[in-house]
Amino acid sequence: MPEMTLVQAINEGIRFSLELDPSVVVLGEDVGKNGGVFRTTEGLWDTFGDERVIDTPLAEAGIIGASIGMAVNGLRPIAEIQFMGFIYPGFEQIVTHAARLRTRTQGQYPASLVVRVPYGGGIRAPELHSDSTESLFVHIPGLKVVVPSTPYDAKGLLLAAVRDPDPVIYLEPMKIYRAFRGEVPDREYEVPLGCARQVREGEDVTLIAWGAMVPLAEQAARILAKKGISCDLIDLRSLYPLDEKTIIGSVKKTGRAVIVHEAPKTAGLGAELTALIDEHAFLWLEAPVTRVTGFDVPVPMFALEDDFRPNLCRIEEAVDQVINF
Amino acid sequence: MPEMTLVQAINEGIRFSLELDPSVVVLGEDVGKNGGVFRTTEGLWDTFGDERVIDTPLAEAGIIGASIGMAVNGLRPIAEIQFMGFIYPGFEQIVTHAARLRTRTQGQYPASLVVRVPYGGGIRAPELHSDSTESLFVHIPGLKVVVPSTPYDAKGLLLAAVRDPDPVIYLEPMKIYRAFRGEVPDREYEVPLGCARQVREGEDVTLIAWGAMVPLAEQAARILAKKGISCDLIDLRSLYPLDEKTIIGSVKKTGRAVIVHEAPKTAGLGAELTALIDEHAFLWLEAPVTRVTGFDVPVPMFALEDDFRPNLCRIEEAVDQVINF
Amino acid sequence: MVDLKQMERVGIQLVRPDGHLTETGRDVWERMPEDRKRAFYQWMVQVRLFDRRSVTLQRQGRIGTYAPMEGQEAAQVGSALALGKEDWIFPSYREHGVAMVAGMPLDRILLYWMGRVEGNRAPEGVRVLPPYVPIATQIPQAMGAAWAAKMKREPSVAVAYFGDGATSEGDFHEACNFAGVFRLPVVFFCQNNHYAISVPFSRQSAVPTVAERASAYAIRGIQVDGNDVLAVYTAMEEAVRRGKNGEGATLIEAVTYRRGAHTTADDATRYREDSEVREWTEEKDPIARYERLLMEEGLLTPDRARKWEQRCRETVEAAVKEAEAAPAPPPSHLFAHVYKDLPPELVRQRRQLTGGDETHA
Amino acid sequence: MVDLKQMERVGIQLVRPDGHLTETGRDVWERMPEDRKRAFYQWMVQVRLFDRRSVTLQRQGRIGTYAPMEGQEAAQVGSALALGKEDWIFPSYREHGVAMVAGMPLDRILLYWMGRVEGNRAPEGVRVLPPYVPIATQIPQAMGAAWAAKMKREPSVAVAYFGDGATSEGDFHEACNFAGVFRLPVVFFCQNNHYAISVPFSRQSAVPTVAERASAYAIRGIQVDGNDVLAVYTAMEEAVRRGKNGEGATLIEAVTYRRGAHTTADDATRYREDSEVREWTEEKDPIARYERLLMEEGLLTPDRARKWEQRCRETVEAAVKEAEAAPAPPPSHLFAHVYKDLPPELVRQRRQLTGGDETHA
Ligand SMILES: Cc1ncc(C[n+]2csc(CCOP(=O)(O)OP(=O)(O)O)c2C)c(N)n1
Ligand SMILES: Cc1ncc(C[n+]2csc(CCOP(=O)(O)OP(=O)(O)O)c2C)c(N)n1
Ligand SMILES: [Mg+2]
Ligand SMILES: [Mg+2]
């Protein structure tokens, strides 16, 4: 099986989607001739032409609004927003329309589209390029939100997202775009939305992470294992819907949970996960659910980004804390 | 002391602000000659003129962007967004700039401004007029978010918000704009941001609510009192920063908490409150923190809005549940 | 065909306010089939009666807040009649006239204003999207639908209906710009009724017409007398033809006036002069003008007018009855169309709402 | 004063690419003080050397991703030199030249590209906002700052600097529209360098110039040769004068070219022809042209040019040293300016970060 980076796997996923379904189109800034600023769409413009891989003007509301209109009229758009920090001009179109069109039209126009968004920090990107505001989208009923953390999942989730009847925000953790390679089957396959990935089995504490936090949590789990603490590590993959069964099941087993995310803490997705666990596994909990997150400050410029982001030390401390509560 | 509705008290607050500080300006759609679609700015245009109470073109990014620029250049803008469902075109200006300008300029330009936003449902308003997406703003570091639920607080919080050095999202619960009158001193006073209001003292369960949910929770508390259950009812008033002391103190006393909000449940502010309580009062909790919220569906058109919104029955049930857990 | 190019920017008028045809108007008129001439009238009357009835229904508390469109009948009927079944309509909240002409049943329109989401759904084959309440948001979507048609090589246009106020929003700009760059078969149909709620157009725009904004996008811009149904129809027909011919987008500004308040919750006397309202009502009414023309041309008699009015009233009444009799869906209908398949948390929430009663809505 | 009105839409050029003055250019030149003539040159050289040095620093890993502006020196220097201390500058991420001229110390600009937020803060009295990275967002804010100046009756303009790509964003439209409606003293200064990253202007706009978009807002629109420092300066001076005179806003399109990549992370060969780059570099360079003029006018000798270059290099080196020596703030600096006063949760988080060390950052 070929080994690829996350970026290559996403590219594969898009390529397969374009090949398999003539109604799929890709649109966004620099996605065509340039192959995307991260090369995610590399080669697609050459293969599928200017009508299916479209460089648009610089206007996010235009891109997402157009995508909704295309979906209404029978296409399957994959829109790219260049960085999560630049999705906000298109926020209204997502929140007010993409998310609600199925309900508003009683199933007639479900706005089946995918919005791909590189997100998160850790790559010393310029200012305002490192937002991680996934919880904003998770709060909006009608949307689905997914994040791959392995090349395998990247392709499979993308194929699933494109075929999904509902609008999907597909987040791409930039930090691990090229951090490692993984096996990616050279065929059509789907990783179903709504299912978490059990990365590692353990008994003492549940670790929940997604995107670029997964390899970090894995590393933490390995270190902790040496100290005799065994972690049940869950890669959420699907931020909405949540795989409650896996999450709750794990916490019932371990009695303890640590959530790791890059976004600021207050009202981040960690809060929802805590509340979910509290609701469904209250009697099993041996310690408060603990969040290791970005601090509640604007995502800093890169000189301080390592101080802002969760790190091994903070994860270990949190695990210590819940173990010794 | 004069008795006023919430709308009148807000109007008073704006009027005082305009009188006390010549750098205060009011801008938005229909805020001038028309006095605001809810009459919140009634009479102000006549008194303060077209230069200080400004009818703008229909463009929310323009309104909020202009407000930020005004703040940079020494004015104190009070921007009105007509309904919360229409704030999203201005979302980028709020999230990317208003919230971060103090940090980005190292204190030089703090973007001291107020964005007033009528929000929530329950008034049989037309479609898409009833959003309650406060948690989106609470998640953004750099913003403050407040909601009055009494005329007294409405004026006092507004005066405090206008003078606050940080950008404040001032939410106005439309449902109780005119639902009742309350005493409002005819003088300058501030209700400090960051402080909750203890509405009712009780021993058995903590009820947390804000905005239009406060009178509902009060009613529930009265009914429950008759059944022998005493509620400690907290009106948050300040959604960010949270008055942790009051919240945690109450839960430590009662051991139980029910949170009531109109917004959908998943990743709503109730999640953060649950996580906060879990973090700080874990050992005091006798039952899971329970959320009574809007369902995770797009805010419906008004025929079904009563089914969507929290009601007495659901609050009582939740209290029953946590009491009998 | 009429050479509209010549008339750009001056505002096209084919029927004068006094009901007389202009010279070009006469040309257009001669070539127009009689049933179309009648259709203009019939629809305008029907739309107006529906609108008036709706205002009354609101006063009686039988529907919620309503957005009246009286005064804009020519703009709506004229434009909608120029569209085919293959064309897409992305309306605002004031386009009841457009929706009706396009095939939206009257009772559904009423249901919408009763706060019933079922009123949003068009019958099969009627390409009318639900009313777009957040201003200007429909414009990029219409552009996208047009783009899809172009890619699929389908001869169809998409029309975005919006008001003068909407032209201030970024969405208007972005949509027009895409339409220009990609030469899309989209029609931007702006009813300039002079106000965005209370804000006059002069505070919305420093240029005196919406139409001239087209030049910033290299798309065609036309200003028509929006109270002249013939002119509106002709302009729209030409825009549709151009779109389907691959000649790109058109921005049509139909200059008109809403006689009533912005919505039934609005008090228009706070910001409009009586004399202005009177002028538009008495001198520039779209129906009176056209009625006069039809009578003069021998296509209408007072008697037939009365009969038609009667028939419209019946149609409207039947729709009111039907809407009011439409069985209310159960509360669980909240969950019916949020996702194709409900996630577990939503299944639980629905159960909570129904108290365990799991029958599908 | 030069009558710019006449030259609107055709693109103003006062110095030809070969370094010769046009007829009008000669007029302008004669009336220009000598120190200004030198300043143009001196700043352009300094800016270019700074820019080249920054690219090298990036390659050496001493600063982060950097946005080079070589080729746009005339547009930036010419426009910035027309501003006074009382004027506000809302720049994009490529306006190092503008910032420098306006008084932003070079080491701060470098600090910014080292990922240090302290680089964002201008010294007292320097009205330069931090670089605006999200495209077009600075435009409404500049408009608002100008509005405040107008209300306060202060003779000052606000300038929004942005690129050709930015004109596609809704924010551009909304800001221009407000500026037209309220006649605000704002200058919209667009450097049309032909590309938004890889996307050529022809895919950004169906109209061939940015300047003509001004007509949609009833504001003045001017296209200037952005590589002609004299023309840029003159256009900007006039726009500033108009603004301060209550004549409203101006949209200036400075036609220019970025020689290098979009940023150091970009590979421009993927989307630009070599020949195009060569043409702009060899035939239209803003500095070469002006250098030639100065030499011909006897204001510059090769020797003085070398000396000036040397001095600039030293200035830049000193700034590099200073920036690299600037003590890094502690991690707790993350919390230094989030709010005026830290809420309890943030106090706790800061403590968590510092391990209890509560010294203020
Ligand atoms: C984005 C947004 N902002 C504000 C509103 C509130 N609002 C509803 S209608 C309206 C005026 C619209 O005016 P115009 O576009 O001229 O259309 P008209 O109502 O005159 O038909 C406003 C401000 C809204 N619905 N959406
Ligand atoms: C809202 C937003 N969308 C996308 C981006 C990503 N991006 C950064 S620069 C750029 C191109 C800008 O082009 P232009 O406005 O012409 O300015 P130039 O870089 O040529 O100076 C893009 C798309 C961004 N920064 N902000
Ligand atoms: Mg209008
Ligand atoms: Mg550019």
Side-chain angles (χ1 to χ4, degrees), chain D residues 72 93-94 163-166 191-197 199 258 262:
Chain D
Q72 303 184 202
Y93 45 83
R94 205 184 294 287
D164 44 305
Q191 284 166 82
N192 183 348
N193 62 9
H194 295 81
Y195 289 90
I197 308 187
V199 180
R258 76 167 143 77
H262 169 72

Side-chain angles (χ1 to χ4, degrees), chain A residues 44-266:
Chain A
L44 303 179
W45 184 77
D46 305 293
T47 310
F48 299 97
D50 204 51
E51 261 210 346
R52 293 191 67 201
V53 181
I54 310 161
D55 278 326
T56 66
L58 210 175
E60 288 75 12
I63 292 168
I64 295 170
S67 299
I68 297 171
M70 287 174 171
V72 165
N73 198 358
L75 299 186
R76 283 267 170 170
I78 306 177
E80 175 179 310
I81 297 298
Q82 216 160 66
F83 289 83
M84 197 158 200
F86 312 139
I87 200 170
Y88 311 120
F91 197 68
E92 178 179 43
Q93 288 288 346
I94 295 176
V95 163
T96 310
H97 294 297
R100 307 194 212 210
L101 206 53
R102 179 186 286 279
T103 292
R104 295 188 68 232
T105 64
Q106 301 286 280
Q108 198 169 20
Y109 300 114
S112 314
L113 53 87
V114 176
V115 182
R116 292 180 38 242
V117 197
Y119 88 105
I123 60 161
R124 295 171 60 85
E127 204 185 0
L128 294 160
H129 279 69
S130 307
D131 273 19
S132 179
T133 44
E134 62 271 22
S135 74
L136 306 186
F137 300 93
V138 171
H139 185 49
I140 303 301
L143 299 178
K144 291 178 179 171
V145 185
V146 299
V147 192
S149 82
T150 67
Y152 179 91
D153 287 350
K155 178 172 169 185
L157 276 175
L158 195 98
L159 282 163
V162 172
R163 287 184 199 154
D164 197 87
D166 298 302
V168 181
I169 311 292
Y170 180 95
L171 301 176
E172 305 175 0
M174 293 187 279
K175 182 164 173 60
I176 55 171
Y177 258 158
R178 295 181 169 80
F180 48 83
R181 286 166 183 277
E183 295 201 333
V184 177
D186 186 25
R187 55 171 171 81
E188 195 186 330
Y189 66 94
E190 291 188 20
V191 170
L193 275 60
C195 296
R197 178 172 69 97
Q198 185 82 39
V199 182
R200 202 182 158 106
E201 307 247 356
E203 305 299 323
D204 300 328
V205 59
T206 299
L207 274 182
I208 303 175
W210 54 93
M213 293 296 100
V214 173
L216 187 73
E218 248 182 299
Q219 213 182 328
R222 276 196 300 271
I223 295 172
L224 286 160
K226 285 192 201 135
K227 295 204 214 165
I229 298 167
S230 92
C231 298
D232 213 49
L233 174 55
I234 297 170
D235 171 4
L236 277 190
R237 286 201 299 209
S238 180
L239 308 189
Y240 194 92
L242 287 168
D243 183 347
E244 299 176 356
K245 228 174 102 187
T246 302
I247 299 166
I248 305 302
S250 171
V251 178
K252 283 190 176 167
K253 176 173 70 173
T254 63
R256 298 173 158 90
V258 169
I259 298 154
V260 187
H261 65 60
E262 304 184 42
K265 180 182 178 189
T266 297

Side-chain angles (χ1 to χ4, degrees), chain B residues 62 73 97 104 106 143 244, chain D residues 120 131 152 174 333 339 348:
Chain B
N73 198 359
H97 293 298
R104 294 188 69 233
Q106 300 286 279
L143 300 178
E244 299 177 356
Chain D
N120 261 332
K152 296 193 288 178
E174 298 188 12
H333 192 67
Y339 294 96
R348 219 161 34 234

Side-chain angles (χ1 to χ4, degrees), chain C residues 281-355:
Chain C
T281 311
E282 289 167 15
E283 292 161 37
K284 300 183 182 167
D285 184 68
I287 299 185
R289 171 191 319 196
Y290 193 66
E291 206 171 52
R292 212 166 298 148
L293 173 66
L294 283 188
M295 298 226 177
E296 265 170 36
E297 298 284 325
L299 292 173
L300 188 69
T301 61
D303 186 48
R304 260 154 100 202
R306 256 192 313 277
K307 278 207 184 108
W308 178 249
E309 221 181 283
Q310 188 47 35
R311 187 147 154 221
C312 289
R313 273 185 220 286
E314 283 159 18
T315 310
V316 173
E317 264 349 280
V320 174
K321 236 185 223 139
E322 191 157 354
E324 291 190 327
S332 64
H333 192 66
L334 283 175
F335 297 87
H337 296 291
V338 184
Y339 294 95
K340 178 94 182 338
D341 302 301
L342 281 191
E345 167 69 25
L346 278 188
V347 172
R348 218 159 38 232
Q349 290 187 14
R350 189 178 57 190
R351 198 175 313 128
Q352 202 185 18
L353 175 65
T354 58

